[in-house]
Amino acid sequence: MTSTASSRQRVAVIGLGGIGGAAAGALTHAGRHDVIACGRRPLERMRVDLPDESVEVAMTVLTDPADASPVDWVLLTTKAQDTDGAGAWLRALCGPDTTVAVMQNGIDHAERIASYAGGAEALPVIVYYNGERIADDHVRMRHISDADIALPDTDTAQAFIDLLEGTPIQAVRAPDFTARQWQKLLINIVVNPVTALTRQRQGVLQREDIQTLTTALLEEAAAVAEAEGAGLPASVAADTQRLVLTFPHDAGSSMYFDALAGRRLEAEALTGAVVRAGARHGIPTPMNGAMLALLRALSDGMGT
Ligand SMILES: NC(=O)C1=CN([C@@H]2O[C@H](COP(=O)(O)OP(=O)(O)OC[C@H]3O[C@@H](n4cnc5c(N)ncnc54)[C@H](OP(=O)(O)O)[C@@H]3O)[C@@H](O)[C@H]2O)C=CC1
Ligand SMILES: CC(C)(CO)C(=O)C(=O)O
């Protein structure tokens, strides 16, 4: 674990989309650490619309893992399905003292990076803030929950909170981290597929016919979460349904933006995780299975 309370740290952010662009921009703007970004295209400056201010920051962006060397912190912010593609970055950036904050949706954060990160420690991060890539050099971050990220209740998590000091990213240590991972997954198996498949922003969730669908998706997923020992309350399906209806109608979702841009969808890490866990426990998930088939068909027709 790296100590960050006072020392200047070397930070690398892999991926400069909605989540990574906001994190890299906010850390660079705060100026407390040496931040590099690892991307697929060169970039010199980025406009970052933070919740309370819009800033333009000069970025140091590497495009070739051969130019990278081990750092104190790696923030992995690609989509889950692009983790393998980011493997060369992880290998180059991770040493024995590196911590990798896996800022992705889903429930198997640590497993995704295990084969690339050598001895580096994985810190799973539940991301609640909304990040939108407006252009390659322009991202917007919005708070949509009390906390922007949730972390396990560990010293490493505290070191990450210290790292983020001076940025608008509000973090909490969560003793109920596993429950929260599943709670977030329940949100994602509703908001992401529905917005991506309908190509409509979150206002579409207010439709009565869509609410019938999302209730069914959530009830299946809640049964699977219970079998997994997630520790969620019996009311979690109804609670999640109510919660997603409070989200901004004009917000998209990470999967919605991929559908619009013709990129592959994060279907296996979200809906796929529920369907696979349901199969392990012998719990039928026909509605999520149907969504998964549609998402796979859409995703397989996409480019990258
Ligand atoms: N956006 C949101 O509001 C939220 C997103 N999340 C989760 O956060 C994670 C990140 O999502 P989001 O930021 O929206 O995703 P984006 O698609 O906006 O950004 C992903 C970034 O990763 C880059 N990337 C992909 N492969 C590589 C690679 N091999 N090397 C370097 N960069 C690479 C992409 O590059 P390129 O530009 O070339 O495609 C892109 O810049 C996902 O797991 C998502 O589910 C969680 C909560 C909210
Ligand atoms: C909850 C939501 C929809 C917030 O942006 C999200 O996690 C995503 O876009 O993937």
Side-chain angles (χ1 to χ4, degrees), residues 16-19 40-41 77 79 85 89 104-105 127 129-131 133 184 254 266:
L16 276 178
I19 297 307
R40 296 198 274 206
R41 281 175 298 283
T77 75
K79 293 280 164 40
W89 284 116
Q104 294 176 333
N105 273 326
V127 181
Y129 65 85
N130 185 258
R133 180 175 10 177
K184 180 73 204 293
S254 50
E266 208 171 30

mmCIF file with all atom_site columns, all heavy atoms in Angstrom, residues 16-19 40-41 77 79 85 89 104-105 127 129-131 133 184 254 266, ligand 1:
data_model
loop_
_atom_site.group_PDB
_atom_site.id
_atom_site.type_symbol
_atom_site.label_atom_id
_atom_site.label_alt_id
_atom_site.label_comp_id
_atom_site.label_asym_id
_atom_site.label_entity_id
_atom_site.label_seq_id
_atom_site.pdbx_PDB_ins_code
_atom_site.Cartn_x
_atom_site.Cartn_y
_atom_site.Cartn_z
_atom_site.occupancy
_atom_site.B_iso_or_equiv
_atom_site.pdbx_formal_charge
_atom_site.auth_seq_id
_atom_site.auth_comp_id
_atom_site.auth_asym_id
_atom_site.auth_atom_id
_atom_site.pdbx_PDB_model_num
ATOM   1   N N   . LEU A 1 16  ? -9.112  7.667  -21.153 1.00 0.00 ? 16  LEU A N   1
ATOM   2   C CA  . LEU A 1 16  ? -9.464  9.081  -20.959 1.00 0.00 ? 16  LEU A CA  1
ATOM   3   C C   . LEU A 1 16  ? -10.890 9.332  -21.401 1.00 0.00 ? 16  LEU A C   1
ATOM   4   O O   . LEU A 1 16  ? -11.179 10.308 -22.092 1.00 0.00 ? 16  LEU A O   1
ATOM   5   C CB  . LEU A 1 16  ? -8.499  9.961  -21.768 1.00 0.00 ? 16  LEU A CB  1
ATOM   6   C CG  . LEU A 1 16  ? -7.181  10.290 -21.086 1.00 0.00 ? 16  LEU A CG  1
ATOM   7   C CD1 . LEU A 1 16  ? -6.314  11.128 -22.005 1.00 0.00 ? 16  LEU A CD1 1
ATOM   8   C CD2 . LEU A 1 16  ? -7.410  11.014 -19.762 1.00 0.00 ? 16  LEU A CD2 1
ATOM   9   N N   . GLY A 1 17  ? -11.804 8.429  -21.004 1.00 0.00 ? 17  GLY A N   1
ATOM   10  C CA  . GLY A 1 17  ? -13.212 8.629  -21.335 1.00 0.00 ? 17  GLY A CA  1
ATOM   11  C C   . GLY A 1 17  ? -13.908 9.391  -20.219 1.00 0.00 ? 17  GLY A C   1
ATOM   12  O O   . GLY A 1 17  ? -13.290 10.210 -19.519 1.00 0.00 ? 17  GLY A O   1
ATOM   13  N N   . GLY A 1 18  ? -15.195 9.097  -20.045 1.00 0.00 ? 18  GLY A N   1
ATOM   14  C CA  . GLY A 1 18  ? -15.984 9.849  -19.071 1.00 0.00 ? 18  GLY A CA  1
ATOM   15  C C   . GLY A 1 18  ? -15.405 9.749  -17.671 1.00 0.00 ? 18  GLY A C   1
ATOM   16  O O   . GLY A 1 18  ? -15.239 10.765 -16.972 1.00 0.00 ? 18  GLY A O   1
ATOM   17  N N   . ILE A 1 19  ? -15.070 8.543  -17.225 1.00 0.00 ? 19  ILE A N   1
ATOM   18  C CA  . ILE A 1 19  ? -14.581 8.357  -15.858 1.00 0.00 ? 19  ILE A CA  1
ATOM   19  C C   . ILE A 1 19  ? -13.099 8.724  -15.742 1.00 0.00 ? 19  ILE A C   1
ATOM   20  O O   . ILE A 1 19  ? -12.706 9.489  -14.871 1.00 0.00 ? 19  ILE A O   1
ATOM   21  C CB  . ILE A 1 19  ? -14.835 6.891  -15.420 1.00 0.00 ? 19  ILE A CB  1
ATOM   22  C CG1 . ILE A 1 19  ? -16.354 6.617  -15.396 1.00 0.00 ? 19  ILE A CG1 1
ATOM   23  C CG2 . ILE A 1 19  ? -14.204 6.604  -14.066 1.00 0.00 ? 19  ILE A CG2 1
ATOM   24  C CD1 . ILE A 1 19  ? -17.184 7.593  -14.583 1.00 0.00 ? 19  ILE A CD1 1
ATOM   25  N N   . ARG A 1 40  ? -5.024  6.063  -26.411 1.00 0.00 ? 40  ARG A N   1
ATOM   26  C CA  . ARG A 1 40  ? -4.740  5.483  -27.725 1.00 0.00 ? 40  ARG A CA  1
ATOM   27  C C   . ARG A 1 40  ? -4.442  6.554  -28.761 1.00 0.00 ? 40  ARG A C   1
ATOM   28  O O   . ARG A 1 40  ? -4.094  6.252  -29.885 1.00 0.00 ? 40  ARG A O   1
ATOM   29  C CB  . ARG A 1 40  ? -5.936  4.627  -28.176 1.00 0.00 ? 40  ARG A CB  1
ATOM   30  C CG  . ARG A 1 40  ? -6.137  3.456  -27.234 1.00 0.00 ? 40  ARG A CG  1
ATOM   31  C CD  . ARG A 1 40  ? -6.967  2.384  -27.823 1.00 0.00 ? 40  ARG A CD  1
ATOM   32  N NE  . ARG A 1 40  ? -8.386  2.576  -27.647 1.00 0.00 ? 40  ARG A NE  1
ATOM   33  C CZ  . ARG A 1 40  ? -9.255  1.576  -27.620 1.00 0.00 ? 40  ARG A CZ  1
ATOM   34  N NH1 . ARG A 1 40  ? -8.830  0.347  -27.771 1.00 0.00 ? 40  ARG A NH1 1
ATOM   35  N NH2 . ARG A 1 40  ? -10.537 1.818  -27.453 1.00 0.00 ? 40  ARG A NH2 1
ATOM   36  N N   . ARG A 1 41  ? -4.628  7.832  -28.336 1.00 0.00 ? 41  ARG A N   1
ATOM   37  C CA  . ARG A 1 41  ? -4.348  8.951  -29.244 1.00 0.00 ? 41  ARG A CA  1
ATOM   38  C C   . ARG A 1 41  ? -3.611  10.038 -28.461 1.00 0.00 ? 41  ARG A C   1
ATOM   39  O O   . ARG A 1 41  ? -3.889  10.240 -27.286 1.00 0.00 ? 41  ARG A O   1
ATOM   40  C CB  . ARG A 1 41  ? -5.662  9.569  -29.764 1.00 0.00 ? 41  ARG A CB  1
ATOM   41  C CG  . ARG A 1 41  ? -6.324  8.791  -30.869 1.00 0.00 ? 41  ARG A CG  1
ATOM   42  C CD  . ARG A 1 41  ? -7.658  9.408  -31.220 1.00 0.00 ? 41  ARG A CD  1
ATOM   43  N NE  . ARG A 1 41  ? -8.582  9.373  -30.088 1.00 0.00 ? 41  ARG A NE  1
ATOM   44  C CZ  . ARG A 1 41  ? -9.230  8.284  -29.698 1.00 0.00 ? 41  ARG A CZ  1
ATOM   45  N NH1 . ARG A 1 41  ? -9.061  7.145  -30.336 1.00 0.00 ? 41  ARG A NH1 1
ATOM   46  N NH2 . ARG A 1 41  ? -10.053 8.324  -28.671 1.00 0.00 ? 41  ARG A NH2 1
ATOM   47  N N   . THR A 1 77  ? -9.469  2.770  -16.059 1.00 0.00 ? 77  THR A N   1
ATOM   48  C CA  . THR A 1 77  ? -10.813 3.304  -16.341 1.00 0.00 ? 77  THR A CA  1
ATOM   49  C C   . THR A 1 77  ? -11.312 2.930  -17.733 1.00 0.00 ? 77  THR A C   1
ATOM   50  O O   . THR A 1 77  ? -12.154 3.623  -18.287 1.00 0.00 ? 77  THR A O   1
ATOM   51  C CB  . THR A 1 77  ? -10.844 4.847  -16.177 1.00 0.00 ? 77  THR A CB  1
ATOM   52  O OG1 . THR A 1 77  ? -10.189 5.444  -17.309 1.00 0.00 ? 77  THR A OG1 1
ATOM   53  C CG2 . THR A 1 77  ? -10.168 5.308  -14.906 1.00 0.00 ? 77  THR A CG2 1
ATOM   54  N N   . LYS A 1 79  ? -13.417 0.330  -20.253 1.00 0.00 ? 79  LYS A N   1
ATOM   55  C CA  . LYS A 1 79  ? -14.532 -0.574 -20.050 1.00 0.00 ? 79  LYS A CA  1
ATOM   56  C C   . LYS A 1 79  ? -13.978 -1.942 -19.643 1.00 0.00 ? 79  LYS A C   1
ATOM   57  O O   . LYS A 1 79  ? -12.839 -2.293 -20.005 1.00 0.00 ? 79  LYS A O   1
ATOM   58  C CB  . LYS A 1 79  ? -15.347 -0.705 -21.349 1.00 0.00 ? 79  LYS A CB  1
ATOM   59  C CG  . LYS A 1 79  ? -16.066 0.596  -21.734 1.00 0.00 ? 79  LYS A CG  1
ATOM   60  C CD  . LYS A 1 79  ? -17.329 0.760  -20.936 1.00 0.00 ? 79  LYS A CD  1
ATOM   61  C CE  . LYS A 1 79  ? -17.929 2.157  -20.942 1.00 0.00 ? 79  LYS A CE  1
ATOM   62  N NZ  . LYS A 1 79  ? -17.929 2.902  -22.164 1.00 0.00 ? 79  LYS A NZ  1
ATOM   63  N N   . GLY A 1 85  ? -7.081  -5.546 -23.427 1.00 0.00 ? 85  GLY A N   1
ATOM   64  C CA  . GLY A 1 85  ? -6.388  -4.633 -24.354 1.00 0.00 ? 85  GLY A CA  1
ATOM   65  C C   . GLY A 1 85  ? -5.459  -3.677 -23.621 1.00 0.00 ? 85  GLY A C   1
ATOM   66  O O   . GLY A 1 85  ? -4.472  -3.201 -24.183 1.00 0.00 ? 85  GLY A O   1
ATOM   67  N N   . TRP A 1 89  ? -0.331  -1.882 -20.795 1.00 0.00 ? 89  TRP A N   1
ATOM   68  C CA  . TRP A 1 89  ? -0.158  -0.710 -19.916 1.00 0.00 ? 89  TRP A CA  1
ATOM   69  C C   . TRP A 1 89  ? 0.023   -1.172 -18.473 1.00 0.00 ? 89  TRP A C   1
ATOM   70  O O   . TRP A 1 89  ? 0.887   -0.681 -17.752 1.00 0.00 ? 89  TRP A O   1
ATOM   71  C CB  . TRP A 1 89  ? -1.391  0.201  -19.997 1.00 0.00 ? 89  TRP A CB  1
ATOM   72  C CG  . TRP A 1 89  ? -1.484  1.039  -21.220 1.00 0.00 ? 89  TRP A CG  1
ATOM   73  C CD1 . TRP A 1 89  ? -2.435  0.989  -22.188 1.00 0.00 ? 89  TRP A CD1 1
ATOM   74  C CD2 . TRP A 1 89  ? -0.594  2.105  -21.607 1.00 0.00 ? 89  TRP A CD2 1
ATOM   75  N NE1 . TRP A 1 89  ? -2.197  1.937  -23.160 1.00 0.00 ? 89  TRP A NE1 1
ATOM   76  C CE2 . TRP A 1 89  ? -1.079  2.633  -22.821 1.00 0.00 ? 89  TRP A CE2 1
ATOM   77  C CE3 . TRP A 1 89  ? 0.560   2.655  -21.047 1.00 0.00 ? 89  TRP A CE3 1
ATOM   78  C CZ2 . TRP A 1 89  ? -0.444  3.693  -23.486 1.00 0.00 ? 89  TRP A CZ2 1
ATOM   79  C CZ3 . TRP A 1 89  ? 1.196   3.713  -21.705 1.00 0.00 ? 89  TRP A CZ3 1
ATOM   80  C CH2 . TRP A 1 89  ? 0.693   4.214  -22.911 1.00 0.00 ? 89  TRP A CH2 1
ATOM   81  N N   . GLN A 1 104 ? -14.199 0.549  -12.533 1.00 0.00 ? 104 GLN A N   1
ATOM   82  C CA  . GLN A 1 104 ? -15.080 -0.029 -13.560 1.00 0.00 ? 104 GLN A CA  1
ATOM   83  C C   . GLN A 1 104 ? -16.355 -0.527 -12.891 1.00 0.00 ? 104 GLN A C   1
ATOM   84  O O   . GLN A 1 104 ? -16.384 -0.779 -11.695 1.00 0.00 ? 104 GLN A O   1
ATOM   85  C CB  . GLN A 1 104 ? -14.392 -1.219 -14.236 1.00 0.00 ? 104 GLN A CB  1
ATOM   86  C CG  . GLN A 1 104 ? -13.161 -0.855 -15.047 1.00 0.00 ? 104 GLN A CG  1
ATOM   87  C CD  . GLN A 1 104 ? -12.456 -2.081 -15.624 1.00 0.00 ? 104 GLN A CD  1
ATOM   88  O OE1 . GLN A 1 104 ? -12.548 -3.185 -15.069 1.00 0.00 ? 104 GLN A OE1 1
ATOM   89  N NE2 . GLN A 1 104 ? -11.741 -1.885 -16.718 1.00 0.00 ? 104 GLN A NE2 1
ATOM   90  N N   . ASN A 1 105 ? -17.386 -0.703 -13.695 1.00 0.00 ? 105 ASN A N   1
ATOM   91  C CA  . ASN A 1 105 ? -18.618 -1.311 -13.189 1.00 0.00 ? 105 ASN A CA  1
ATOM   92  C C   . ASN A 1 105 ? -18.469 -2.826 -13.108 1.00 0.00 ? 105 ASN A C   1
ATOM   93  O O   . ASN A 1 105 ? -17.548 -3.409 -13.684 1.00 0.00 ? 105 ASN A O   1
ATOM   94  C CB  . ASN A 1 105 ? -19.797 -0.955 -14.103 1.00 0.00 ? 105 ASN A CB  1
ATOM   95  C CG  . ASN A 1 105 ? -20.435 0.374  -13.711 1.00 0.00 ? 105 ASN A CG  1
ATOM   96  O OD1 . ASN A 1 105 ? -20.490 0.718  -12.528 1.00 0.00 ? 105 ASN A OD1 1
ATOM   97  N ND2 . ASN A 1 105 ? -20.925 1.104  -14.696 1.00 0.00 ? 105 ASN A ND2 1
ATOM   98  N N   . VAL A 1 127 ? -17.967 3.154  -8.882  1.00 0.00 ? 127 VAL A N   1
ATOM   99  C CA  . VAL A 1 127 ? -18.055 4.535  -9.376  1.00 0.00 ? 127 VAL A CA  1
ATOM   100 C C   . VAL A 1 127 ? -19.522 4.941  -9.453  1.00 0.00 ? 127 VAL A C   1
ATOM   101 O O   . VAL A 1 127 ? -20.335 4.264  -10.101 1.00 0.00 ? 127 VAL A O   1
ATOM   102 C CB  . VAL A 1 127 ? -17.409 4.649  -10.780 1.00 0.00 ? 127 VAL A CB  1
ATOM   103 C CG1 . VAL A 1 127 ? -17.478 6.090  -11.276 1.00 0.00 ? 127 VAL A CG1 1
ATOM   104 C CG2 . VAL A 1 127 ? -15.964 4.161  -10.750 1.00 0.00 ? 127 VAL A CG2 1
ATOM   105 N N   . TYR A 1 129 ? -20.220 8.527  -9.915  1.00 0.00 ? 129 TYR A N   1
ATOM   106 C CA  . TYR A 1 129 ? -20.410 9.784  -10.647 1.00 0.00 ? 129 TYR A CA  1
ATOM   107 C C   . TYR A 1 129 ? -20.697 9.514  -12.116 1.00 0.00 ? 129 TYR A C   1
ATOM   108 O O   . TYR A 1 129 ? -20.393 8.456  -12.637 1.00 0.00 ? 129 TYR A O   1
ATOM   109 C CB  . TYR A 1 129 ? -19.232 10.751 -10.446 1.00 0.00 ? 129 TYR A CB  1
ATOM   110 C CG  . TYR A 1 129 ? -17.865 10.365 -10.971 1.00 0.00 ? 129 TYR A CG  1
ATOM   111 C CD1 . TYR A 1 129 ? -17.487 10.620 -12.301 1.00 0.00 ? 129 TYR A CD1 1
ATOM   112 C CD2 . TYR A 1 129 ? -16.901 9.813  -10.137 1.00 0.00 ? 129 TYR A CD2 1
ATOM   113 C CE1 . TYR A 1 129 ? -16.210 10.331 -12.766 1.00 0.00 ? 129 TYR A CE1 1
ATOM   114 C CE2 . TYR A 1 129 ? -15.623 9.508  -10.588 1.00 0.00 ? 129 TYR A CE2 1
ATOM   115 C CZ  . TYR A 1 129 ? -15.288 9.759  -11.904 1.00 0.00 ? 129 TYR A CZ  1
ATOM   116 O OH  . TYR A 1 129 ? -14.023 9.460  -12.361 1.00 0.00 ? 129 TYR A OH  1
ATOM   117 N N   . ASN A 1 130 ? -21.325 10.472 -12.733 1.00 0.00 ? 130 ASN A N   1
ATOM   118 C CA  . ASN A 1 130 ? -21.651 10.343 -14.149 1.00 0.00 ? 130 ASN A CA  1
ATOM   119 C C   . ASN A 1 130 ? -20.571 11.054 -14.955 1.00 0.00 ? 130 ASN A C   1
ATOM   120 O O   . ASN A 1 130 ? -20.274 12.225 -14.725 1.00 0.00 ? 130 ASN A O   1
ATOM   121 C CB  . ASN A 1 130 ? -23.032 10.979 -14.403 1.00 0.00 ? 130 ASN A CB  1
ATOM   122 C CG  . ASN A 1 130 ? -23.495 10.788 -15.833 1.00 0.00 ? 130 ASN A CG  1
ATOM   123 O OD1 . ASN A 1 130 ? -23.412 11.698 -16.638 1.00 0.00 ? 130 ASN A OD1 1
ATOM   124 N ND2 . ASN A 1 130 ? -23.957 9.600  -16.161 1.00 0.00 ? 130 ASN A ND2 1
ATOM   125 N N   . GLY A 1 131 ? -19.941 10.306 -15.855 1.00 0.00 ? 131 GLY A N   1
ATOM   126 C CA  . GLY A 1 131 ? -18.902 10.888 -16.696 1.00 0.00 ? 131 GLY A CA  1
ATOM   127 C C   . GLY A 1 131 ? -19.335 10.798 -18.143 1.00 0.00 ? 131 GLY A C   1
ATOM   128 O O   . GLY A 1 131 ? -19.764 9.746  -18.598 1.00 0.00 ? 131 GLY A O   1
ATOM   129 N N   . ARG A 1 133 ? -18.127 11.679 -22.089 1.00 0.00 ? 133 ARG A N   1
ATOM   130 C CA  . ARG A 1 133 ? -17.091 12.128 -23.025 1.00 0.00 ? 133 ARG A CA  1
ATOM   131 C C   . ARG A 1 133 ? -17.796 12.950 -24.100 1.00 0.00 ? 133 ARG A C   1
ATOM   132 O O   . ARG A 1 133 ? -18.519 12.411 -24.930 1.00 0.00 ? 133 ARG A O   1
ATOM   133 C CB  . ARG A 1 133 ? -16.444 10.885 -23.628 1.00 0.00 ? 133 ARG A CB  1
ATOM   134 C CG  . ARG A 1 133 ? -15.380 11.183 -24.594 1.00 0.00 ? 133 ARG A CG  1
ATOM   135 C CD  . ARG A 1 133 ? -14.626 10.012 -25.142 1.00 0.00 ? 133 ARG A CD  1
ATOM   136 N NE  . ARG A 1 133 ? -15.066 8.656  -24.911 1.00 0.00 ? 133 ARG A NE  1
ATOM   137 C CZ  . ARG A 1 133 ? -14.431 7.602  -25.436 1.00 0.00 ? 133 ARG A CZ  1
ATOM   138 N NH1 . ARG A 1 133 ? -13.362 7.781  -26.165 1.00 0.00 ? 133 ARG A NH1 1
ATOM   139 N NH2 . ARG A 1 133 ? -14.863 6.394  -25.225 1.00 0.00 ? 133 ARG A NH2 1
ATOM   140 N N   . LYS A 1 184 ? -24.967 -1.658 -6.978  1.00 0.00 ? 184 LYS A N   1
ATOM   141 C CA  . LYS A 1 184 ? -24.605 -0.896 -8.184  1.00 0.00 ? 184 LYS A CA  1
ATOM   142 C C   . LYS A 1 184 ? -24.850 -1.738 -9.433  1.00 0.00 ? 184 LYS A C   1
ATOM   143 O O   . LYS A 1 184 ? -25.303 -1.237 -10.461 1.00 0.00 ? 184 LYS A O   1
ATOM   144 C CB  . LYS A 1 184 ? -23.135 -0.453 -8.103  1.00 0.00 ? 184 LYS A CB  1
ATOM   145 C CG  . LYS A 1 184 ? -22.652 0.359  -9.303  1.00 0.00 ? 184 LYS A CG  1
ATOM   146 C CD  . LYS A 1 184 ? -23.222 1.768  -9.308  1.00 0.00 ? 184 LYS A CD  1
ATOM   147 C CE  . LYS A 1 184 ? -23.269 2.423  -10.677 1.00 0.00 ? 184 LYS A CE  1
ATOM   148 N NZ  . LYS A 1 184 ? -22.011 2.733  -11.289 1.00 0.00 ? 184 LYS A NZ  1
ATOM   149 N N   . SER A 1 254 ? -23.007 4.778  -19.562 1.00 0.00 ? 254 SER A N   1
ATOM   150 C CA  . SER A 1 254 ? -21.774 4.458  -20.279 1.00 0.00 ? 254 SER A CA  1
ATOM   151 C C   . SER A 1 254 ? -22.080 3.548  -21.476 1.00 0.00 ? 254 SER A C   1
ATOM   152 O O   . SER A 1 254 ? -21.486 3.677  -22.540 1.00 0.00 ? 254 SER A O   1
ATOM   153 C CB  . SER A 1 254 ? -20.765 3.820  -19.334 1.00 0.00 ? 254 SER A CB  1
ATOM   154 O OG  . SER A 1 254 ? -21.343 2.762  -18.614 1.00 0.00 ? 254 SER A OG  1
ATOM   155 N N   . GLU A 1 266 ? -20.487 -3.248 -22.725 1.00 0.00 ? 266 GLU A N   1
ATOM   156 C CA  . GLU A 1 266 ? -20.000 -3.894 -21.502 1.00 0.00 ? 266 GLU A CA  1
ATOM   157 C C   . GLU A 1 266 ? -21.052 -4.900 -21.002 1.00 0.00 ? 266 GLU A C   1
ATOM   158 O O   . GLU A 1 266 ? -21.404 -4.898 -19.816 1.00 0.00 ? 266 GLU A O   1
ATOM   159 C CB  . GLU A 1 266 ? -19.747 -2.807 -20.452 1.00 0.00 ? 266 GLU A CB  1
ATOM   160 C CG  . GLU A 1 266 ? -18.701 -3.124 -19.431 1.00 0.00 ? 266 GLU A CG  1
ATOM   161 C CD  . GLU A 1 266 ? -18.375 -1.901 -18.563 1.00 0.00 ? 266 GLU A CD  1
ATOM   162 O OE1 . GLU A 1 266 ? -19.254 -1.057 -18.337 1.00 0.00 ? 266 GLU A OE1 1
ATOM   163 O OE2 . GLU A 1 266 ? -17.221 -1.806 -18.111 1.00 0.00 ? 266 GLU A OE2 1
HETATM 164 N N1  . LIG B 2 .   ? -19.553 6.979  -17.628 1.00 0.00 ? 1   LIG B N1  1
HETATM 165 C C1  . LIG B 2 .   ? -20.179 6.829  -16.457 1.00 0.00 ? 1   LIG B C1  1
HETATM 166 O O1  . LIG B 2 .   ? -20.980 7.692  -16.058 1.00 0.00 ? 1   LIG B O1  1
HETATM 167 C C2  . LIG B 2 .   ? -19.896 5.657  -15.592 1.00 0.00 ? 1   LIG B C2  1
HETATM 168 C C3  . LIG B 2 .   ? -19.053 4.649  -15.999 1.00 0.00 ? 1   LIG B C3  1
HETATM 169 N N2  . LIG B 2 .   ? -18.762 3.630  -15.128 1.00 0.00 ? 1   LIG B N2  1
HETATM 170 C C4  . LIG B 2 .   ? -17.850 2.562  -15.504 1.00 0.00 ? 1   LIG B C4  1
HETATM 171 O O2  . LIG B 2 .   ? -16.547 3.121  -15.607 1.00 0.00 ? 1   LIG B O2  1
HETATM 172 C C5  . LIG B 2 .   ? -15.779 2.407  -16.594 1.00 0.00 ? 1   LIG B C5  1
HETATM 173 C C6  . LIG B 2 .   ? -15.288 3.414  -17.619 1.00 0.00 ? 1   LIG B C6  1
HETATM 174 O O3  . LIG B 2 .   ? -16.433 3.920  -18.289 1.00 0.00 ? 1   LIG B O3  1
HETATM 175 P P1  . LIG B 2 .   ? -16.395 5.236  -19.192 1.00 0.00 ? 1   LIG B P1  1
HETATM 176 O O4  . LIG B 2 .   ? -15.396 6.197  -18.708 1.00 0.00 ? 1   LIG B O4  1
HETATM 177 O O5  . LIG B 2 .   ? -17.791 5.664  -19.327 1.00 0.00 ? 1   LIG B O5  1
HETATM 178 O O6  . LIG B 2 .   ? -15.884 4.621  -20.558 1.00 0.00 ? 1   LIG B O6  1
HETATM 179 P P2  . LIG B 2 .   ? -15.414 5.407  -21.878 1.00 0.00 ? 1   LIG B P2  1
HETATM 180 O O7  . LIG B 2 .   ? -15.735 4.524  -23.020 1.00 0.00 ? 1   LIG B O7  1
HETATM 181 O O8  . LIG B 2 .   ? -15.948 6.804  -21.860 1.00 0.00 ? 1   LIG B O8  1
HETATM 182 O O9  . LIG B 2 .   ? -13.852 5.486  -21.689 1.00 0.00 ? 1   LIG B O9  1
HETATM 183 C C7  . LIG B 2 .   ? -13.031 4.377  -21.755 1.00 0.00 ? 1   LIG B C7  1
HETATM 184 C C8  . LIG B 2 .   ? -11.671 4.857  -22.203 1.00 0.00 ? 1   LIG B C8  1
HETATM 185 O O10 . LIG B 2 .   ? -10.795 3.730  -22.209 1.00 0.00 ? 1   LIG B O10 1
HETATM 186 C C9  . LIG B 2 .   ? -9.966  3.885  -23.348 1.00 0.00 ? 1   LIG B C9  1
HETATM 187 N N3  . LIG B 2 .   ? -9.331  2.635  -23.713 1.00 0.00 ? 1   LIG B N3  1
HETATM 188 C C10 . LIG B 2 .   ? -9.895  1.480  -24.113 1.00 0.00 ? 1   LIG B C10 1
HETATM 189 N N4  . LIG B 2 .   ? -8.950  0.569  -24.377 1.00 0.00 ? 1   LIG B N4  1
HETATM 190 C C11 . LIG B 2 .   ? -7.766  1.169  -24.123 1.00 0.00 ? 1   LIG B C11 1
HETATM 191 C C12 . LIG B 2 .   ? -6.412  0.764  -24.221 1.00 0.00 ? 1   LIG B C12 1
HETATM 192 N N5  . LIG B 2 .   ? -6.083  -0.459 -24.636 1.00 0.00 ? 1   LIG B N5  1
HETATM 193 N N6  . LIG B 2 .   ? -5.450  1.648  -23.896 1.00 0.00 ? 1   LIG B N6  1
HETATM 194 C C13 . LIG B 2 .   ? -5.760  2.889  -23.488 1.00 0.00 ? 1   LIG B C13 1
HETATM 195 N N7  . LIG B 2 .   ? -7.019  3.347  -23.388 1.00 0.00 ? 1   LIG B N7  1
HETATM 196 C C14 . LIG B 2 .   ? -8.000  2.487  -23.705 1.00 0.00 ? 1   LIG B C14 1
HETATM 197 C C15 . LIG B 2 .   ? -10.895 4.396  -24.409 1.00 0.00 ? 1   LIG B C15 1
HETATM 198 O O11 . LIG B 2 .   ? -10.134 4.909  -25.473 1.00 0.00 ? 1   LIG B O11 1
HETATM 199 P P3  . LIG B 2 .   ? -10.755 5.346  -26.885 1.00 0.00 ? 1   LIG B P3  1
HETATM 200 O O12 . LIG B 2 .   ? -11.061 6.798  -26.705 1.00 0.00 ? 1   LIG B O12 1
HETATM 201 O O13 . LIG B 2 .   ? -9.659  5.091  -27.825 1.00 0.00 ? 1   LIG B O13 1
HETATM 202 O O14 . LIG B 2 .   ? -11.979 4.523  -27.110 1.00 0.00 ? 1   LIG B O14 1
HETATM 203 C C16 . LIG B 2 .   ? -11.661 5.450  -23.606 1.00 0.00 ? 1   LIG B C16 1
HETATM 204 O O15 . LIG B 2 .   ? -10.967 6.664  -23.577 1.00 0.00 ? 1   LIG B O15 1
HETATM 205 C C17 . LIG B 2 .   ? -16.731 1.341  -17.158 1.00 0.00 ? 1   LIG B C17 1
HETATM 206 O O16 . LIG B 2 .   ? -16.564 0.137  -16.473 1.00 0.00 ? 1   LIG B O16 1
HETATM 207 C C18 . LIG B 2 .   ? -18.122 1.926  -16.863 1.00 0.00 ? 1   LIG B C18 1
HETATM 208 O O17 . LIG B 2 .   ? -19.128 0.948  -16.765 1.00 0.00 ? 1   LIG B O17 1
HETATM 209 C C19 . LIG B 2 .   ? -19.255 3.599  -13.855 1.00 0.00 ? 1   LIG B C19 1
HETATM 210 C C20 . LIG B 2 .   ? -20.097 4.583  -13.436 1.00 0.00 ? 1   LIG B C20 1
HETATM 211 C C21 . LIG B 2 .   ? -20.516 5.665  -14.267 1.00 0.00 ? 1   LIG B C21 1
#
